[in-house]
Amino acid sequence: MAASECAKFCVVLFTIAIALVSASKSDIRKDVIDVQDYITLRNLVKELQVTLKVHESRFEMLENRLLQSERKTDLLVRERKRNLQVINELSRHLSGIENKEAQIKPFASKKIRRENVQEDVSKIRKERLLVAPTSPTEQVAFYVHLTTSLPSPGANQIIKFDHVMVNIGNGYHNNTGVFIVPTSGVYVFSWSIRLNGGSVHSAELVINNETHGKVYLDSSHLDGHVSAGSIARLQAGDDVYMRVKAGVCHNRGAIFSDVCGWSSFMGWKISSL
């Protein structure tokens, strides 16, 4: 309503301004018209026109909001009716179950002993299945990926996967890109590198300065991922990381990672030593 009243007010002001301009033109001779007053009136008319458009836009926005509110209200009313129908059906069903239970209750006492015996047997079986292993494994796992592409990484450059999705055991350090083994055991590692636009790279898994796995991809004619994995027996304090391989392998272009596909690195402990 406020937007509508403002619009009407602007229309009235606009009409008065037009009348003033018309009166000035008809009552005063052209050779003695005050040019400054005419310019002032013309500017006032323009301002009123702009104000009128603004209020018209606001009024249209309020009308759209009102329509949306009416639609939401209609949906809520329909949903309430459906919920009431479901509640009524459940109530009828519950009443039927209660009636059947009242009819069966006198005969239920005869089955109590048999059911108790079956429950005891089930508990014994579950206890046998849930016996803890003699050497429990501490949980260690991490999963990280690049949030942005690495432009032209150099040979032997460590790939610092900056975004940490999972870091159970706090072994991965995204500021250095190195996973420091928290507890000794057998670990599985997997990595995936994305290249395109003619990039050529080899990425290798390094454990304590020794290579334990590597991948290579030439993306001259494609855009894709190359993945690999490795298993290693590690001691607490060992260093594990990914780096761009140096030497005979070519290194050119960027290692990509974006909303269409991540370059990622993960590892997890599968058993203790």
Side-chain angles (χ1 to χ4, degrees), residues 132-149:
T134 56
S135 57
T137 300
E138 301 86 350
Q139 291 186 346
V140 180
F142 71 93
Y143 173 44
V144 294
H145 70 83
L146 293 175
T147 55
T148 58
S149 301

Side-chain angles (χ1 to χ4, degrees), residues 156 158 178-179 204-213 234 237-243 245:
N156 291 325
I158 294 177
V178 178
F179 171 69
E204 60 182 356
L205 177 71
V206 180
I207 300 177
N208 296 332
N209 294 322
E210 293 184 0
T211 301
H212 276 254
L234 303 177
D238 287 347
D239 294 336
V240 184
Y241 54 89
M242 294 296 305
R243 73 180 178 189
K245 181 174 174 57

Side-chain angles (χ1 to χ4, degrees), residues 53-255:
K53 290 181 179 179
V54 171
H55 286 293
E56 286 178 348
S57 299
R58 291 179 178 176
F59 180 68
E60 184 178 357
M61 180 182 66
L62 291 173
E63 284 184 334
N64 292 332
R65 288 183 179 177
L66 179 60
L67 290 174
Q68 293 177 358
S69 299
E70 290 176 350
R71 292 172 182 170
K72 290 181 179 179
T73 302
D74 184 54
L75 291 175
L76 290 174
V77 170
R78 294 180 182 177
E79 185 67 21
R80 182 176 179 274
K81 289 181 179 179
R82 285 195 295 268
N83 291 337
L84 288 175
Q85 291 176 355
V86 172
I87 291 172
N88 292 333
E89 292 178 1
L90 291 175
S91 298
R92 289 194 296 269
H93 184 63
L94 180 61
S95 298
I97 293 174
E98 290 175 348
N99 292 333
K100 291 181 180 179
E101 183 180 0
Q103 296 173 1
I104 298 173
K105 190 173 183 180
F107 304 97
S109 58
K110 297 180 180 179
K111 299 181 180 180
I112 291 177
R113 293 183 180 179
R114 182 180 297 178
E115 291 175 353
N116 289 338
V117 172
Q118 292 176 347
E119 288 179 359
D120 292 338
V121 173
S122 298
K123 287 181 180 178
I124 293 172
R125 289 177 179 173
K126 288 180 179 178
E127 288 174 357
R128 290 178 179 176
L129 292 174
L130 294 176
V131 173
T134 56
S135 57
T137 300
E138 301 86 350
Q139 291 186 346
V140 180
F142 71 93
Y143 173 44
V144 294
H145 70 83
L146 293 175
T147 55
T148 58
S149 301
L150 291 180
S152 301
N156 291 325
Q157 178 177 333
I158 294 177
I159 303 174
K160 299 178 182 179
F161 298 89
D162 57 314
H163 187 74
V164 179
M165 302 287 287
V166 177
N167 196 13
I168 301 173
N170 298 317
Y172 183 79
H173 303 272
N174 60 350
N175 57 333
T176 61
V178 178
F179 171 69
I180 301 176
V181 178
T183 58
S184 301
V186 179
Y187 286 78
V188 175
F189 297 97
S190 177
W191 61 98
S192 179
I193 303 298
R194 180 183 170 214
L195 303 178
N196 74 357
S199 297
V200 179
H201 282 292
S202 176
E204 60 182 356
L205 177 71
V206 180
I207 300 177
N208 296 332
N209 294 322
E210 293 184 0
T211 301
H212 276 254
K214 61 186 71 175
V215 292
Y216 177 81
L217 179 63
D218 183 345
S219 65
S220 299
H221 304 290
L222 54 85
D223 177 358
H225 275 82
V226 58
S227 303
S230 180
I231 300 177
R233 295 168 58 92
L234 303 177
Q235 300 293 330
D238 287 347
D239 294 336
V240 184
Y241 54 89
M242 294 296 305
R243 73 180 178 189
V244 178
K245 181 174 174 57
V248 297
C249 299
H250 297 288
N251 294 299
R252 182 179 70 246
I255 294 177

Side-chain angles (χ1 to χ4, degrees), residues 6-7 10-11 13-14 42-58:
C6 289
C10 292
V11 171
L13 290 179
F14 178 73
R42 184 180 62 183
N43 293 336
L44 177 60
V45 170
K46 290 182 178 179
E47 291 178 0
L48 290 173
Q49 289 175 335
V50 173
T51 303
L52 179 61
K53 290 181 179 179
V54 171
H55 286 293
E56 286 178 348
S57 299
R58 291 179 178 176

